[in-house]
Amino acid sequence: MDELQGIQRPIHAERVSKCAAEYGFTASCDDLTGSFLRMLVANRRQSTILELGTGVGHSTAWLLDGMDQDSRLYSVEMDEQCSNIAREVLGDDPRLHLFAQDGGEYIEEHKSKQYDVIFADTWPGKFYLVEEVLDMVKPGGMYIIDDLNPQPNWPEDHEDKVSKLVSYLESREDFHLSKLNWSTGLILMTKKS
């Protein structure tokens, strides 16, 4: 079965991919992860969504494509040029709020806020400040991370970091957890009510 057969890419995904190639940005989520994110947010209404690691906006385009008109997406990217690309392609969408700042700073400044969905696709919220981010998930809300299967561009000690992260997440008794050995390797967690 072709996992992407029959799945339509968001209208802005092609433009984002083209801009990423021109800029030399190679860390965008793949289309499988994007389609998964779209499906998860499409099941929610009037949601507040946090994306840590906008990149140039590839996963952002998928999230926006699944969101209803009353949901809001707060997306944070440290690289100002990447954030500018996302703003250029997606910035006309009033549901999107882009922040060009360090994800760790954003977490510290907003740790009292609650989100229905958090997609952590960068170091802060995934490899550090994880507990703070998990506390930001509303009861019944979701926390999603990707890139957990070995990748050719991983630094030498990264596999150990991923293993420790997965062990920590598995130990959380306040969440239901599902590991998906699919796409780049994902974890989906839902906070118990």
Side-chain angles (χ1 to χ4, degrees), residues 137-174:
V137 178
K138 287 181 183 177
M142 295 181 292
Y143 170 81
I144 305 120
I145 55 176
D146 64 347
D147 301 329
L148 299 173
N149 286 340
Q151 308 290 318
N153 61 346
W154 278 9
E156 192 172 307
D157 63 342
H158 193 66
E159 192 165 352
D160 195 38
K161 285 182 173 78
V162 170
S163 179
K164 288 177 183 173
L165 170 65
V166 171
S167 293
Y168 170 70
L169 295 176
E170 289 172 333
S171 76
R172 294 288 300 231
E173 295 185 3
D174 53 339

Side-chain angles (χ1 to χ4, degrees), residues 71-83:
S71 292
R72 298 291 171 261
L73 173 57
Y74 300 86
S75 190
V76 184
E77 174 56 49
M78 181 174 67
D79 183 318
E80 194 167 340
Q81 182 61 36
C82 284
S83 186

